[in-house]
Amino acid sequence: MAVSGLIMLAYLVAHVAGNLKVFFGPEEFNGYAHWLRVMGAPVLHHEWGLWIARIALLAAVGAHAVSAYQLSRRDIRARPTRYARKRKGSSYATRTMRWGGIILGLFIVWHILDLTTGTVHPGGFEEGKPYQNVIDTFSTWYGNTIYIVAMLAVGLHVRHGFWSAAQTLGVGNARRERVLRLLANGLALVLTAGFIAVPVGVMTGVVN
């Protein structure tokens, strides 16, 4: 659970950095999208590097989902009766991890169908022109709503998940707890703000 989560976290950091290139205009953003398809060349063929990254990410998502299910079942078997009172110190992010995971799983499917395959894209989806495709998506109220809700869920998930992974992997202790929580909060805030900046940029006309 911890290792697969950190792999996905590394992907999110790289992904938000790439997304923010949209503020530098279509040439920069489309050029970045093209680079993703030729990365590793000439050693790798066209899109091989991208597919290797996709397969690795898919494996991490699958491992994370299976681990979450197994841990949930183990938790239920260990205590079939719920606590009479909620445990003190458990944050909102902690209590909503499962629902957050489900929301993100559904969002991933929608996001791929929207901006990768173009199946549910609201405009005339154009292969190789992600800048215009992004504007099309975030020019609709439902595209903005789905994306922003999902990114808020990402923030909550990262906030608890980063700290929890540190404990699981033995990095955390009483002396480092404050620092780890600050890192978790800061990372969650930066990722959430970075992702949400894109639809806000389109809505305000900064990206057009």
Side-chain angles (χ1 to χ4, degrees):
M1 187 77 165
V3 172
S4 60
L6 290 177
I7 291 172
M8 289 188 290
L9 179 58
Y11 165 77
L12 288 175
V13 171
H15 192 40
V16 75
N19 281 7
L20 292 175
K21 287 182 176 291
V22 77
F23 289 98
F24 295 95
E27 185 176 349
E28 181 93 9
F29 193 67
N30 292 340
Y32 165 68
H34 174 73
W35 173 81
L36 288 176
R37 285 164 172 73
V38 299
M39 62 179 176
V43 176
L44 300 177
H45 288 288
H46 185 70
E47 291 194 357
W48 278 24
L50 181 60
W51 275 104
I52 290 172
R54 284 172 173 170
I55 291 169
L57 184 61
L58 182 61
V61 171
H64 205 68
V66 170
S67 298
Y69 175 77
Q70 290 175 336
L71 289 172
S72 178
R73 299 304 301 172
R74 185 180 298 178
D75 183 44
I76 292 172
R77 286 196 301 268
R79 188 176 181 84
T81 304
R82 293 185 178 183
Y83 289 103
R85 296 181 180 178
K86 293 179 180 178
R87 288 172 291 179
K88 291 182 178 180
S90 62
S91 66
Y92 182 76
T94 304
R95 298 193 300 271
T96 57
M97 282 295 281
R98 291 172 186 170
W99 283 110
I102 293 171
I103 289 172
L104 292 177
L106 294 173
F107 168 74
I108 289 170
V109 174
W110 177 83
H111 196 49
I112 290 172
L113 292 175
D114 178 28
L115 291 174
T116 301
T117 67
T119 307
V120 298
H121 190 69
F125 182 79
E126 296 184 74
E127 186 71 34
K129 294 186 178 180
Y131 186 88
Q132 185 59 48
N133 294 335
V134 165
I135 291 177
D136 291 342
T137 290
F138 297 131
S139 295
T140 63
W141 68 267
Y142 62 86
N144 289 318
T145 302
I146 292 171
Y147 192 85
I148 290 173
V149 168
M151 293 309 102
L152 292 174
V154 164
L156 290 172
H157 215 74
V158 168
R159 180 176 180 268
H160 175 71
F162 179 82
W163 180 85
S164 182
Q167 307 305 310
T168 300
L169 298 174
V171 177
N173 56 41
R175 290 182 301 174
R176 297 174 185 163
E177 184 171 348
R178 179 178 173 79
V179 174
L180 287 172
R181 287 194 181 277
L182 286 174
L183 282 174
N185 290 338
L187 190 57
L189 181 61
V190 169
L191 286 173
T192 304
F195 280 120
I196 290 179
V198 178
V200 171
V202 175
M203 284 189 286
T204 57
V206 175
V207 177
N208 57 60

